[in-house]
Amino acid sequence: MKQIILGTAGHIDHGKTSLIKAVSGIDTDRLKEEKKRGITIELGFASLDLPDGQHVGIVDVPGHEKFVKNMVAGATGIDIVVMVIAADEGVMPQTREHMEICTLLGVRHGFVALTKTDMVDEEWLELAMDDIQSFTRDTFLDGQPIVPVSSVTGDGIPAFLDTLQAICKNVPERKQTGLFRLPVDRVFTMKGFGTVITGSLVSGRIAVGETIMIYPSGVKSKVRGLQVHNQSVNEALAGQRTAINFQGLDMAAVERGNVLARPDTLSPSYMADLAFQYLASAAKPLKNRTRIRFHTGTSEIMGNLILLDREELAPGESAAVQVRLDTPVALVKEDRYVIRSYSPVRTIGGGQVLDPIPAKHKRFRSDIADTLNALADMPPEEVIGFHARQAGFGGTEHNELRLVTNLPDKKLDAAVSAMLSRRDLIMVDRDRRLYVHADTYARLRQLVLDQLGRYHTANPLKAGMPREELRSKFPAHIHPKLAPQVLNQMLKNDELAAEEDTIRLAGHRVSLAGDQSQLKDKILQTYARGGITPPYFKEICQTLKVEARDARDVLQLLVEENRLVKVKEELFFQREVIDDLRARLVAYLRDKGVITTPEFKDMTGASRKYVIPLAEFFDARNVTIRVGDTRQLRKG
């Protein structure tokens, strides 16, 4: 059996609540103030079983203009609307605004209940019918039944139920998705139970014992009990009016407008990209950055409407826009919303969400505006590709793709798998199921090639670029696993080569100019003459009359070629000198066991300015170990 929710709509005092009581036996006005004033202020809830066994949840909304925000909250998630119009008054201002709101929220099924028929004669009734037909022309209620009823006498109630039953058959099954979401429309406490939250379950399912999160606050709690239409159940499904009793949850932690979902499945955002329809009934053009009231689910949030490709929008026009909000909201692609003006408060437009977690867009970028306008009708793989490109080097997680596509899990998995197999997407983090677009992967590869190319040009005598220096050139927001993956792939493809802590282009070879080659020979000759007492770097520059930078580059090349050994800053030795001294030192220690600094000085025949750095060098290379004032051969 389908899960169906019926919502009322219509002007104040046109008999919505009385009609619901007549068909269901339930008075949805529960507040003292409502009883006293005789008007509906808050949302009311009821249910009924139709003759064919179809169960229908009912949301009764207020009709007064001061409570339209409550009406919008109640209209969220309804499948069928009954537009209630009193025969003695006909179409009124809130009738028209409620029709606009239902249209903007995507309601597509419904009919008209012409109430209070006991208060007019036949001639007046015919005039009211003509008025309604004119009102519904070119709306989603055009051609739908108009059912005259009287909640006082009961006339027309059987016809109302028959009409509702027939329309229920035409309502399609809800889109199946694994993403559980319930916008909160009521919070209260019950003695012996604790905090209870109610709402229309708009997608997914929830079971007793599961942990849920309240968005956007992030508070978590466990489901202690579930009720659907006042009946205790173990599981609630999309399309059902649901009451959830939570374990140990403070009532102050949740309020109308919050959304319940499983932990870490939604991403609250201060922005959303929208397909926006500006109502033709609006009084004047809408300007960029207009202050607005953003209604979605059961929430009302203040914000500013950003026109991305123009300075103003004329009544009746539509455009892709971005809303920037004062507080975050948790949305999913294709969610419906309504926008009302800040002051005076009036419904001015609405539509559906294109991107629930967008970046902040710069205005007048035609590529962004054109893509957003096309996003609503894009095939799933193109939508995924668009968002993967937008995510850039940070990548996009699988759960984010659920939000920006609103695809059932199986369809999303199939689309992602197809894109991975074609290498349109690249898996970067298997545990988090994080992907980057192939174009992003290629951009990072090119960045590596460009950086190394520039480095080799600027440092022709250096065999490669230090890995840390290359890493510092990557974008700050890059995912930590992306760069190593790209580098490893480039090494595997023989585009790069790596030696210890440096990396280079595979084709890079150190090549010396004529003067550099001569300098290299002179430096080698100088160190050969110096033997165990070579000159310090500064002395070499002075002796050979060369710039320090030129000499240092050549010196570093000789170190990388393993012809010189750096013992400490500014002090280098020929490789052969170090190897010979090491062999003599090891032989001495194997024979004597220990060596003192004076004994090591005698072995080298050098002064302390060479002996001390050499002794510390062999300690650092794990040849020796210092014990007090002596050194011993390090074990192993």
Side-chain angles (χ1 to χ4, degrees), residues 150-226:
S150 170
S151 301
V152 175
T153 66
D155 288 344
I157 296 300
F160 177 94
L161 295 173
D162 289 344
T163 301
L164 176 58
Q165 182 170 278
I167 290 177
C168 286
K169 296 181 187 300
N170 295 326
V171 174
E173 292 280 359
R174 284 178 178 258
K175 182 178 181 180
Q176 294 301 312
T177 171
L179 190 63
F180 158 69
R181 288 193 301 153
L182 184 143
V184 177
D185 56 35
R186 190 180 172 209
V187 186
F188 57 93
T189 59
M190 288 183 64
K191 189 174 181 180
F193 289 91
T195 299
V196 177
I197 295 172
T198 70
S200 298
L201 208 163
V202 296
S203 67
R205 59 181 65 202
I206 190 67
V208 172
E210 287 195 63
T211 298
I212 63 92
M213 181 178 282
I214 301 166
Y215 292 85
S217 68
V219 173
K220 296 180 183 178
S221 187
K222 184 173 285 189
V223 177
R224 180 180 179 184
L226 288 171

Side-chain angles (χ1 to χ4, degrees), residues 32-69:
K32 288 183 179 179
E33 184 69 12
E34 291 177 319
K35 300 292 188 184
K36 179 180 178 181
R37 297 173 61 182
I39 62 171
T40 299
I41 298 172
E42 268 292 354
L43 300 175
F45 308 102
S47 62
L48 65 87
D49 291 308
L50 295 173
D52 64 357
Q54 174 67 57
H55 192 81
V56 178
I58 301 173
V59 180
D60 184 29
V61 306
H64 196 285
E65 62 178 344
K66 290 184 179 180
F67 308 119
V68 171
K69 71 175 185 179

